[in-house]
Amino acid sequence: MTAATEQASVNECLLKLYDEQHEIEDYQKGVPRWCSGCGDNAILAAVQRLCRDEKLAPEKTVFVSGIGCSSRLPHYMNTYGFHGIHGRALPVAEGVKLARPDLTVFVNTGDGDCCSIGAAHWIHAVRYNMNMVMMLHDNQIYGLTKMQASPTSPLGLKSNTTPRGTYLDALNPLTVTLGISNVSFVAQVVDWIPELLYQTIAAAYHHKGFSFVRIVQRCPEWLPKLMDPWLHDPERVLLLHHENGLRVSTDLTRTYRKLEEHDPSDINRAREIASSWDPIPVGILYRDENVPCYEDLRHDTRLRTSDLIRNGLEAEFDKFTVWPETVNA
Amino acid sequence: MQIDLQNQLAFFLTGRRSSDSEPRPSAIRPALFARYRDLTELRYDFPLVIAHGAPPEKTLRSLSRMVDDAALAADETDRLRLARHGQRIERAVRKHLAAKGPGDFATVWHSCASELVTEDAVIGDSAMTLWNSFATDGDILDADAAMPARVVKAAWNSVQAEKAKQFNARTARLLHALKGILLAEDIGGGAGRSPERLRSAVGSSFAGAFDFNELSRILVSSKPATALSDSRRDRINQLIATIEGQKFYTESGESIGFVFDNCADAVRSHNERRAEAVKLLRALAIAELEAAGNYREKTHDVLFENYGHNGLELSELGQLPDYLICTDGGAIDAAETARIVEVLAAGLPFKILVRTDDVLEPSVVAEGHVALGLRSRQIVDASIGLTDVFVLQAAASRLFANRARLLSGLSYDGPALFSVFSGANGHTGDFSPYLVAAAAVESRVFPTITYDPSAGGDWASRLDISDNPSTDDDWPVHRFAFEDADLQSNSESLPFTPADFTALDDRFARHYSVADDISEAMIPVDEALRSAPLRDRVPYTAVVGEDLKLRRALIDNRLLREAERCRAMWHSLQELAGIHNSHAERLLAAERKRAESAPAPDQSPVGGAPVPEIVTAEPETVAAEPSSDDPYIETSRCTSCNECTNVNPKVFAYNDNKQAYIADADAGTYRQLVEAAEGCQVGIIHPGKPRNPKEPGLDDLLARAQPFL
Ligand SMILES: Cc1ncc(C[n+]2csc(CCOP(=O)(O)OP(=O)(O)O)c2C)c(N)n1
Ligand code: SF4
Ligand code: SF4
Ligand SMILES: [Mg+2]
């Protein structure tokens, strides 16, 4: 350390001077194929705004997804992306993070993708607590495959797979996540309040660890009226705010006047809040900065040279190689 | 006035002694040192072990602590035996080092142990168990003139080894990235898709199954080749050559040719290597940008052309080895003192050890003048005055205790000065250098001082004198137990002042006069300093002679003045370190006075903790909406769903945050405004009044617009 401890080196400042500025359009790729009015658009706009504001280098940013309408999001990001297989976004994202901890990793998944076929990965991802942002686009339906009930569909919802209505209570992604060991960040937000959506994803991005954000997302195609009562009645939204959580603007509180000051370190209150649905609580429910990240615990300092990789692979393949000598012996 | 007192006063004022009959002053020593002549019988933190190849914090170790730790780590059944035997070997080691000087740790330990085996056969076994538990190869040494340099060099080496490790890891990472860029071009470019390369990639087993010419043609035509610009390829090749060709660290982590014994040689060497250092650091900085894909020729070329012209920053230079200068105690004269300060002032990564063997050196300017510890004090004060030099002043006896500070100084990105008093000079009879060094600290003649510019911006964070004994007081005070004339045990509190320290030194004998009797006029040195002016009193300090009898030695005025100067210097150190700060004390006194005269404030009740509750915010006066004649969008609520922008992108456009607003109401029809309002899922489009009264179907449109006005 030098005498001027807090002063960044002149060198660093000079190099920063020439940092590249990106506009929101720089992060946009192609034309989204979502239905018009779909809440996924709002999520896309929010993450693009975050990328611009945080000056994320497109070549250092990865969006990973599974399968579903929501999982198409990486296609519309002009960054690296991985449109994976159904339910398996998280293992892919974990692999990316483990091999390249320098990359910023986002995961976009749906309620079907995450809460049915991918549920096992979800639980373990929370426990691994790897530094990434997971956005659960929860439209309470299988959208892409044209309206089958998902685990988060409300009780009694009629769908192609449940023509007489569902028989089971909806699974609550928040209470599940809050019950898993090592949980370090849980938030909920709705797609139709853009400022909150942006702020919540930004807070998730700034949290070091696995940040779980459930986004209540409208699917105007299959469930056009489902969220209308909440959408049109600001009294049915409960804003969670705190000096260590979201700080909401007066602009917002003018419309959304139901407020609760909630300290995100209070897990018991977080669980209570998570269990309620009407009004929909939005904001940061829980945050613990001190949970270690798996990639730090398992940090490998070796350079990933082609030799290292080749030798590692050879060693693995050798385990399954049938050696002619051993066969003859 | 009694004859006795008159003589004593005469001695105090002039240094003239009345008779030769009193015991030879050179045979006296401070009473507190009565028991410490043969240090080899005592257990303390010396000798030190310098461990080879250990991380910085484990490089300097204390033998007695190693023995204790090893015994503690053993099974309970063996613990006591190991501790006992360990201490016996330790004692033998101390004797060995005192007689033969430093040596190889293994050799000294085992040879001392084997000599003891003749007395007790099990010792050999204990020695081996302890040795295995030490798991340390290295050198063992006691405090002598050469010790400070060996300790500082060892610590410096360990810090450089750490740096080398980081440097080598960084260069390996950068080289990997740079070569990766070239490799990517090779694989993605024409060469990687040539028929030959494709053939060699497939290997021999299936070579016959492919038409490699055709495969190559398809691959080349299907995807454009990756190509670097010539300038980028050249630059990357040059970076690789510069980084691979660097001569500052070896692959095994050594830094070669950075240790010097005088300033001039070090400065010359630094200047000779400057250009090379600039070139390497520049290459590393560019390589970082290249590796991250952030090098932009248009902007960075100019920047790097001038790299280092304005001097290099210490944080940059800090990646390369530091220069270590170990000056020899005897060789420092006024000229070298000035040179040292000059070098430190240049703000270069020079670490300088100034070893002093004698802090009681007579002044070269004024005959008969005594000035305690002045030479080293000059350098230390000047260095602290430079404000960006890390300074550690410590006597050799405190070096081990201050090893963490030593390492901080060596790791500091900037110049550092280590001023060490070895205690090894020929004037202290058979007192060991360790004891002399310890006495210098105890008497405030050579206090431990740490000044760390990286610790913060003010004196309170930078200056640290906490290593000294009794930092709040003028002098450390010790209980001294003795038997009185009636053979009764008795004890007395004795301060340790410079007048005690100089009693160890034969050159100062003439400043003492040992009294046969005790008189009312005698006053201890510390009290004498507090009660100036002295009237008809003579200051003394407690001493013992060869016969171990407690006596009073009167001191002369010159020595008293010198003790006073040491105390004044100590006071200024205390103030800077925040102890008894005169400004603060004055302020405090004034505040107290004011507080006493002011009435007591009201006690306000303490509020309880807030309980979570849901509150409903009071509706505020809503800002005036735009006139409903003009169409508008509540932009901040827009969910960016593309619905309206698809209706007419000229009318509906996105702002910087990708939220819709009416860009040009006249670029479309009223019908489009109404349809967009109906289509907007969140209902935030307000179509206003029609702008063209002739638009067909207006009646119907106005009715449909009604809910959105
Ligand atoms: C292994 C596998 N099983 C089933 C499917 C069919 N499938 C595609 S998307 C999907 C459900 C997606 O629902 P959700 O994750 O909620 O995404 P949404 O479309 O609602 O955003 C299913 C079952 C598949 N692609 N792969
Ligand atoms: S089906 Fe639903 S979720 Fe899928 S794109 Fe359409 S609106 Fe969006
Ligand atoms: S239709 Fe509404 S929500 Fe969609 S982009 Fe237009 S204004 Fe925004
Ligand atoms: Mg879904």
Side-chain angles (χ1 to χ4, degrees):
Chain A
M1 236 182 264
T2 52
T5 22
E6 271 134 59
Q7 215 178 316
S9 97
V10 176
N11 245 333
E12 270 167 42
C13 295
L14 276 177
L15 298 182
K16 282 239 171 67
L17 260 186
Y18 298 98
D19 251 6
E20 256 142 62
Q21 286 286 344
H22 294 285
E23 299 300 330
I24 252 186
E25 297 80 53
D26 297 332
Y27 294 98
Q28 173 70 46
K29 197 173 76 189
V31 182
R33 305 227 318 247
W34 290 311
C35 311
S36 62
C38 173
D40 285 334
N41 289 294
I43 301 173
L44 178 68
V47 291
Q48 287 175 338
R49 197 174 143 194
L50 178 81
C51 288
R52 178 205 52 197
D53 293 353
E54 300 295 339
K55 299 196 171 81
L56 298 188
E59 70 276 15
K60 294 260 177 184
T61 308
V62 191
F63 283 80
V64 182
S65 65
I67 295 292
C69 298
S70 38
S71 290
R72 292 197 55 81
L73 189 137
H75 287 271
Y76 311 131
M77 289 302 301
N78 194 16
T79 60
Y80 280 106
F82 197 116
H83 190 173
I85 47 172
H86 201 25
R88 272 69 188 178
L90 286 167
V92 172
E94 286 154 2
V96 171
K97 194 73 195 173
L98 208 51
R100 290 288 303 274
D102 57 315
L103 302 183
T104 305
V105 178
F106 295 91
V107 176
N108 296 85
T109 175
D111 43 317
D113 198 53
C114 167
C115 308
S116 14
I117 192 167
H121 300 303
W122 163 34
I123 290 175
H124 293 287
V126 174
R127 187 167 151 256
Y128 282 148
N129 191 41
M130 298 181 76
N131 188 17
M132 58 181 73
V133 177
M134 165 164 175
M135 287 164 265
L136 167 59
H137 303 220
D138 190 353
N139 56 5
Q140 302 157 65
I141 197 78
Y142 291 2
L144 188 75
T145 45
K146 306 193 172 185
M147 203 187 187
Q148 292 81 27
S150 94
T152 62
S153 296
L155 178 66
L157 182 85
K158 290 200 166 113
S159 76
N160 293 335
T161 41
T162 55
R164 294 191 200 95
T166 61
Y167 296 96
L168 299 175
D169 252 342
L171 177 133
N172 182 334
L174 295 177
T175 51
V176 171
T177 308
L178 282 166
I180 302 171
S181 336
N182 290 341
V183 58
S184 75
F185 185 102
V186 178
Q188 173 163 270
V189 68
V190 294
D191 78 49
W192 62 87
I193 312 180
E195 184 189 328
L196 266 187
L197 179 62
Y198 170 78
Q199 275 193 45
T200 308
I201 297 177
Y205 164 77
H206 287 290
H207 170 72
K208 180 162 192 286
F210 186 77
S211 308
F212 179 87
V213 185
R214 183 219 198 168
I215 305 168
V216 178
Q217 175 231 326
R218 291 157 306 123
C219 169
E221 185 68 19
W222 308 117
L223 303 173
K225 296 269 168 275
L226 183 70
M227 296 313 296
D228 274 5
W230 286 272
L231 177 63
H232 296 303
D233 184 359
E235 296 289 309
R236 294 180 73 171
V237 170
L238 172 63
L239 288 192
L240 304 175
H241 68 105
H242 192 266
E243 54 177 352
N244 298 325
L246 296 187
R247 293 157 195 237
V248 285
S249 67
T250 48
D251 224 24
L252 265 181
T253 52
R254 202 175 289 140
T255 318
Y256 298 98
R257 293 183 304 150
K258 265 209 161 62
L259 308 173
E260 177 176 336
E261 189 172 8
H262 167 62
D263 179 350
S265 65
D266 182 351
I267 196 160
N268 292 327
R269 181 66 195 140
R271 287 184 174 134
E272 281 168 22
I273 295 172
S275 318
S276 65
W277 174 249
D278 200 4
I280 299 184
V282 294
I284 302 175
L285 281 89
Y286 182 65
R287 177 173 52 210
D288 179 356
E289 301 281 2
N290 299 318
V291 183
C293 293
Y294 189 72
E295 70 269 31
D296 295 337
L297 298 173
R298 297 294 312 277
H299 181 57
D300 185 349
T301 50
R302 289 175 304 171
L303 267 189
R304 302 177 68 80
T305 59
S306 21
D307 278 349
L308 181 91
I309 293 168
R310 170 179 276 273
N311 293 339
L313 286 175
E314 295 287 7
E316 284 308 308
F317 291 149
D318 282 352
K319 293 181 188 163
F320 303 99
T321 307
V322 181
W323 300 101
E325 309 87 85
T326 21
V327 172
N328 293 338
Chain B
M1 197 185 274
Q2 289 171 320
I3 290 286
D4 256 6
L5 179 57
Q6 227 163 28
N7 285 339
Q8 288 168 351
L9 277 173
F11 169 74
F12 172 63
L13 295 171
T14 66
R16 190 188 64 85
R17 68 190 66 242
S18 58
S19 74
D20 299 327
S21 61
E22 53 187 64
R24 250 182 357 98
S26 61
I28 61 165
R29 64 187 124 126
L32 286 168
F33 274 35
R35 282 181 192 80
Y36 306 138
R37 179 143 274 180
D38 184 7
L39 273 186
T40 59
E41 291 298 326
L42 289 176
R43 264 198 115 205
Y44 58 111
D45 55 5
F46 277 64
L48 298 185
V49 173
I50 293 180
H52 292 159
E57 64 283 2
K58 296 238 168 84
T59 293
L60 290 185
R61 312 187 61 186
S62 150
L63 181 62
S64 44
R65 288 204 199 174
M66 290 170 81
V67 169
D68 290 349
D69 290 348
L72 269 177
D75 281 348
E76 215 164 323
T77 43
D78 298 333
R79 213 170 272 167
L80 245 143
R81 168 178 62 89
L82 287 175
R84 224 179 34 240
H85 286 167
Q87 289 176 19
R88 277 178 68 186
I89 307 173
E90 232 186 281
R91 208 154 35 226
V93 169
R94 286 203 176 87
K95 290 215 161 72
H96 176 104
L97 295 177
K100 303 206 172 121
D104 171 61
F105 182 31
T107 318
V108 171
W109 177 264
H110 293 302
S111 85
C112 288
S114 64
E115 275 165 33
L116 292 174
V117 170
T118 48
E119 298 165 25
D120 183 345
V122 195
I123 281 196
D125 179 50
S126 304
M128 216 48 218
T129 312
L130 290 167
W131 179 257
N132 290 336
S133 173
F134 296 160
T136 304
D137 271 327
D139 298 317
I140 186 158
L141 66 166
D142 216 333
D144 61 13
M147 185 276 282
R150 293 187 65 165
V151 163
V152 171
K153 269 183 202 163
W156 180 85
N157 269 327
S158 69
V159 169
Q160 302 311 306
E162 262 329 92
K163 272 197 192 189
K165 216 188 277 168
Q166 280 173 21
F167 179 90
N168 287 342
R170 182 175 178 213
T171 49
R173 173 176 60 80
L174 289 173
L175 287 171
H176 176 61
L178 293 175
K179 290 177 180 174
I181 297 171
L182 298 181
L183 188 67
E185 183 190 34
D186 180 63
I187 294 173
R193 290 183 277 182
S194 67
E196 301 72 46
R197 287 282 285 278
L198 294 172
R199 184 174 294 115
S200 76
V202 166
S204 54
S205 310
F206 298 100
F210 292 90
D211 177 342
F212 290 104
N213 289 325
E214 197 53 24
L215 186 59
S216 171
R217 194 190 58 76
I218 295 170
L219 286 176
V220 169
S221 61
S222 63
K223 184 177 164 278
T226 322
L228 302 177
S229 68
D230 288 345
S231 59
R232 185 169 189 211
R233 195 180 313 102
D234 288 349
R235 185 168 54 246
I236 290 177
N237 277 318
Q238 270 173 24
L239 293 176
I240 293 175
T242 306
I243 296 172
E244 284 185 334
Q246 64 84 18
K247 294 196 185 68
F248 290 86
Y249 293 106
T250 64
E251 224 167 290
S252 56
E254 279 148 56
S255 33
I256 296 161
F258 287 88
V259 182
F260 299 88
D261 57 14
N262 65 71
C263 290
D265 289 351
V267 170
R268 193 174 316 115
S269 165
H270 173 265
N271 289 342
E272 279 163 14
R273 283 192 268 203
R274 213 194 95 87
E276 226 180 307
V278 170
K279 189 173 167 204
L280 176 60
L281 293 173
R282 175 175 172 275
L284 293 174
I286 299 179
E288 287 292 358
L289 286 168
E290 276 292 0
N294 285 341
Y295 193 90
R296 302 283 174 274
E297 291 179 357
K298 224 165 58 196
T299 45
H300 289 125
D301 276 358
V302 196
L303 182 63
F304 282 105
E305 204 175 309
N306 298 311
Y307 187 89
H309 275 208
N310 220 352
L312 286 172
E313 273 184 80
L314 284 169
S315 58
E316 297 289 306
L317 272 179
Q319 300 169 58
L320 302 182
D322 295 322
Y323 289 74
L324 178 66
I325 306 169
C326 294
T327 60
D328 183 359
I332 300 181
D333 50 15
E336 184 71 1
T337 303
R339 217 168 293 132
I340 290 171
V341 177
E342 191 109 324
V343 166
L344 291 170
L348 294 169
F350 283 62
K351 314 292 180 204
I352 306 185
L353 166 67
V354 174
R355 189 194 89 218
T356 315
D357 294 332
D358 190 3
V359 283
L360 300 181
E361 215 183 347
S363 163
V364 286
V365 181
E367 173 83 30
H369 179 72
V370 288
L372 307 185
L374 265 201
R375 176 96 69 214
S376 46
R377 197 56 197 264
Q378 273 170 10
I379 302 181
V380 165
D381 284 354
S383 306
I384 292 179
L386 292 172
T387 71
D388 64 349
V389 178
F390 184 105
V391 178
L392 171 63
Q393 161 167 302
S397 56
R398 300 300 301 159
L399 259 192
F400 176 72
N402 281 289
R403 61 197 182 284
R405 293 187 175 102
L406 174 64
L407 289 174
S408 307
L410 288 168
S411 318
Y412 173 70
D413 269 348
L417 172 79
F418 306 98
S419 169
V420 180
F421 171 50
S422 73
N425 58 66
H427 303 286
T428 51
D430 52 3
F431 283 107
S432 74
Y434 181 92
L435 259 187
V436 177
V441 182
E442 203 71 13
S443 61
R444 316 281 194 219
V445 169
F446 202 86
T448 308
I449 304 173
T450 317
Y451 180 81
D452 179 358
S454 71
D458 50 23
W459 281 101
S461 9
R462 292 179 165 204
L463 187 72
D464 181 359
I465 56 168
S466 60
D467 182 57
N468 295 287
S470 316
T471 40
D472 281 357
D473 306 327
D474 284 357
W475 317 107
V477 175
H478 300 269
R479 280 318 280 175
F480 178 71
F482 58 93
E483 278 176 353
D484 63 17
D486 307 326
L487 297 181
Q488 295 297 308
S489 351
N490 209 334
S491 78
E492 202 176 318
S493 287
L494 299 180
F496 199 86
T497 75
D500 298 289
F501 176 57
T502 47
L504 291 169
D505 191 294
D506 51 22
R507 288 168 297 178
F508 280 73
R510 65 191 175 87
H511 299 284
Y512 294 86
S513 166
V514 179
D516 292 325
D517 299 310
I518 291 175
S519 84
E520 285 289 298
M522 295 177 181
I523 175 170
V525 172
D526 59 330
E527 260 178 60
L529 287 173
R530 280 198 301 270
S531 49
L534 286 181
R535 265 184 236 293
D536 298 340
R537 307 290 300 268
V538 283
Y540 77 92
T541 187
V543 295
V544 291
E546 300 272 83
D547 53 3
L548 285 186
K549 266 201 182 139
L550 185 63
R551 289 206 176 81
R552 290 181 172 185
L554 306 180
I555 64 164
D556 66 10
N557 194 26
R558 182 139 244 171
L559 214 49
L560 188 70
R561 294 285 74 84
E562 205 41 44
E564 192 174 23
R565 201 175 55 84
C566 277
R567 191 185 60 166
M569 295 217 279
W570 172 247
H571 281 174
S572 72
L573 267 184
Q574 280 181 318
E575 281 212 40
L576 290 173
I579 302 169
H580 306 314
N581 183 291
S582 51
H583 298 287
E585 277 175 4
R586 248 186 241 179
L587 245 161
L588 200 68
E591 279 299 315
R592 261 201 204 115
K593 216 168 180 186
R594 197 167 30 209
E596 276 160 18
S597 54
D602 279 352
Q603 291 278 305
S604 50
V606 183
V611 260
E613 55 175 343
I614 296 175
V615 295
T616 305
E618 285 304 311
E620 285 180 32
T621 40
V622 178
E625 297 285 346
S627 129
S628 58
D629 286 358
D630 289 329
Y632 71 96
I633 297 180
E634 295 168 60
T635 300
S636 68
R637 292 180 57 201
C638 166
T639 64
S640 322
C641 77
N642 301 339
E643 181 85 56
C644 60
T645 53
N646 282 341
V647 171
N648 184 338
K650 286 199 184 107
V651 178
F652 304 96
Y654 282 138
N655 68 7
D656 282 354
N657 285 337
K658 208 177 176 183
Q659 291 184 301
Y661 68 104
I662 307 271
D664 182 359
D666 298 321
T669 59
Y670 190 60
R671 175 175 300 279
Q672 286 176 326
L673 283 166
V674 174
E675 281 175 357
E678 287 172 337
C680 177
Q681 297 284 325
V682 283
I684 55 171
I685 300 179
H686 306 280
K689 294 269 157 62
R691 303 166 82 82
N692 173 9
K694 295 199 186 111
E695 191 176 320
L698 265 192
D699 286 347
D700 170 50
L701 289 174
L702 274 168
R704 281 165 63 186
Q706 202 51 44
F708 306 107
L709 289 182

